[in-house]
Amino acid sequence: MLNDILSRLDELYPEMIELRREFHAEPELSYEEVHTPAKIAEYLRNIGIDVRTEVGGRGVVGTLVGGKPGKTVALRADFDALPIQEETGLPFASKHPGKMHACGHDGHTATLLVLAKVLAERKADVEGTIVFIHQFAEELAPGGAIAMVNDGCLDGVDRIFGTHLWTPIPKGKVGYSYDRLMAAADKFDINITGFGGHGAMPHQTVDAVIVGSAVSLALQQVVSRNVDPLEPAVVTIASFHAGGAFNVVSEVANLSGTVRTFSKTVQEQIIKRMEDVIKGVCDAYGASYEFHYSKGYPAVINHPEATEWLKQSSESFFDSANVYEVPPVMGGEDFSYYLQKVPGAFFFTGAGNEQEGITYPHHHPKFTIDEESMLIAAKHLGAVALYALAELNAATEAVK
């Protein structure tokens, strides 16, 4: 059956490309998705899949009940875009200024839709149920995943799998992790208030630029001197705003940035240490501060058994040299919420191609993917879905 599905995916690859390009040309930002979920729902209905819309807000869930009884496996794709002005020059580039699919979500959606079509054609042979989760608002916290989970998208689901088309990995390769894959992604804001004055009389002021600079430098030591070197962690100041006129000492400085961790213990340690440092620096300079810390998506922590199924299913039909374990990355993903609810695995499907110049990082104005990565992703997702159903069903029979 799987060989037939893989061959059929090859046949429908042109349709996958067409869908991806349609989504790419019509991007919709997080929490603003209207036409994209409508198109997804229409496609799923047309191939005979039961559809539930407005799940958690703007999500779409399709359910394929196989012709044979069995367990339930879910597959997930996301479909929101980013507030970026596209600079790819592609003939199917975004038609909407300041909006762009710069992370591959258009490809994720096309991948899962065509895979659903192929599986629906073989519905009679499917032993169990496959749920297709199309998620909104992955790019903007609190994100669509938690809302969809709370609205029941995982009810009755035994395992879940998902993939991210990933340009740092060459096309043709698949990267998995048995445990940590992507980090918790938090945000912080620091508002510093000094005492402004004339630029020619700095001794009469408390310069917020100087205080902010000192805070920024001091925070760089939180990870290097407070966190266990064996624990991955990042503290980044990404924005610093202060001042106006050339001859005025700034009274206010605003800093913002992100913290990335895998361990909740390290996360709490960093939060406390950051406030200690900010307070200490501001006290030393005679300034006051406000520190706002927002916890974002939890870390993506895969389940070993589900990851092993992914590895075995992929190696059964693909060159094992192209299926390999990858180190964790510090980017964030709200797929973590699904994994907190149901065992499963998230993995990277290589989408880069240096020879074709497809090397720009995610969230870059010139970002794109090697479209063949979608076909590869569909094959791996299809393989692991059927493999997982077989393993779950066999375990149920063994218990009987």
Side-chain angles (χ1 to χ4, degrees):
M1 175 183 175
L2 183 55
N3 283 326
D4 291 341
I5 287 173
L6 299 181
S7 296
R8 182 62 172 146
L9 285 169
D10 287 330
E11 294 174 1
L12 291 180
Y13 176 50
E15 181 176 338
M16 198 179 292
I17 293 175
E18 181 180 356
L19 283 168
R20 182 256 169 162
R21 294 182 179 185
E22 289 176 3
F23 288 123
H24 189 91
E26 301 285 352
E28 293 182 299
L29 302 182
S30 304
Y31 299 102
E32 298 178 6
E33 307 97 334
V34 176
H35 301 294
T36 304
K39 184 177 179 66
I40 291 168
E42 179 184 23
Y43 185 97
L44 291 173
R45 289 192 183 102
N46 287 341
I47 61 175
I49 288 180
D50 292 333
V51 176
R52 182 182 168 211
T53 60
E54 299 181 352
V55 181
R58 300 176 186 269
V60 179
V61 176
T63 302
L64 175 66
V65 179
K68 302 175 183 179
K71 294 292 188 176
T72 299
V73 169
L75 303 174
R76 175 269 203 169
D78 41 14
F79 55 74
D80 56 324
L82 286 155
I84 295 174
Q85 179 61 42
E86 183 164 357
E87 298 176 3
T88 62
L90 293 168
F92 52 90
S94 172
K95 297 178 182 178
H96 306 295
K99 300 178 183 181
M100 177 191 175
H101 272 294
C103 201
H105 296 187
D106 50 343
H108 299 167
T109 305
T111 294
L112 197 56
L113 286 177
V114 174
L115 176 59
K117 183 175 185 176
V118 173
L119 290 169
E121 292 174 348
R122 299 299 302 267
K123 176 180 178 178
D125 298 321
V126 175
E127 298 179 350
T129 298
I130 301 178
V131 176
F132 303 95
I133 298 173
H134 288 270
Q135 182 201 312
F136 66 103
E138 187 279 328
E139 296 288 2
L140 185 62
I146 186 65
M148 293 188 71
V149 169
N150 290 338
D151 200 10
C153 76
L154 291 180
D155 289 355
V157 171
D158 299 293
R159 297 293 186 276
I160 186 168
F161 298 91
T163 191
H164 202 308
L165 301 176
W166 199 246
T167 57
I169 296 177
K171 179 196 70 178
K173 297 185 179 295
V174 166
Y176 64 86
S177 171
Y178 284 102
D179 187 60
R180 301 172 172 183
L181 184 68
M182 302 183 78
D186 300 343
K187 178 182 182 294
F188 64 84
D189 295 284
I190 307 166
N191 302 318
I192 296 170
T193 302
F195 188 80
H198 199 293
M201 304 171 194
H203 60 291
Q204 297 176 354
T205 71
V206 176
D207 189 344
V209 171
I210 297 297
V211 181
S213 299
V215 166
S216 179
L217 288 173
L219 289 177
Q220 303 311 306
Q221 300 176 40
V222 169
V223 172
S224 66
R225 290 298 176 267
N226 298 117
V227 176
D228 185 336
L230 299 180
E231 285 285 352
V234 171
V235 175
T236 293
I237 303 290
S239 175
F240 189 138
H241 295 283
F246 80 97
N247 59 348
V248 176
V249 172
S250 180
E251 185 161 324
V252 176
N254 305 110
L255 293 75
S256 63
T258 187
V259 172
R260 305 297 171 108
T261 56
F262 283 97
S263 161
K264 290 184 178 179
T265 300
V266 172
Q267 181 188 51
E268 294 300 328
Q269 178 188 14
I270 288 177
I271 295 171
K272 182 181 184 304
R273 188 59 184 146
M274 284 182 70
E275 179 135 30
D276 290 343
V277 168
I278 296 164
K279 182 179 186 303
V281 172
C282 287
D283 285 350
Y285 281 94
S288 60
Y289 74 94
E290 294 177 351
F291 178 47
H292 303 284
Y293 193 100
S294 301
K295 292 180 180 178
Y297 304 152
V300 175
I301 308 295
N302 284 332
H303 295 255
E305 179 191 56
T307 304
E308 182 62 23
W309 291 351
L310 166 68
K311 178 177 180 291
Q312 291 180 9
S313 65
S314 294
E315 289 182 346
S316 296
F317 293 91
F318 306 96
D319 184 354
S320 61
N322 289 328
V323 182
Y324 63 103
E325 191 168 2
V326 294
V329 300
M330 303 310 284
E333 237 284 356
D334 69 350
F335 193 87
S336 53
Y337 289 115
Y338 301 110
L339 294 175
Q340 290 184 341
K341 184 77 172 180
V342 171
F346 195 61
F347 62 97
F348 294 134
T349 300
N353 189 327
E354 189 171 349
Q355 292 181 337
E356 298 293 331
I358 302 175
T359 57
Y360 287 98
H362 292 252
H363 297 204
H364 190 281
K366 294 184 179 180
F367 172 87
T368 191
I369 59 170
D370 185 314
E371 290 180 317
E372 193 176 347
S373 65
M374 297 187 296
L375 178 60
I376 296 168
K379 290 181 175 181
H380 284 273
L381 285 171
V384 72
L386 295 177
Y387 190 97
L389 284 176
E391 290 292 318
L392 290 166
N393 294 336
T396 299
E397 288 298 317
V399 171
K400 291 180 181 178

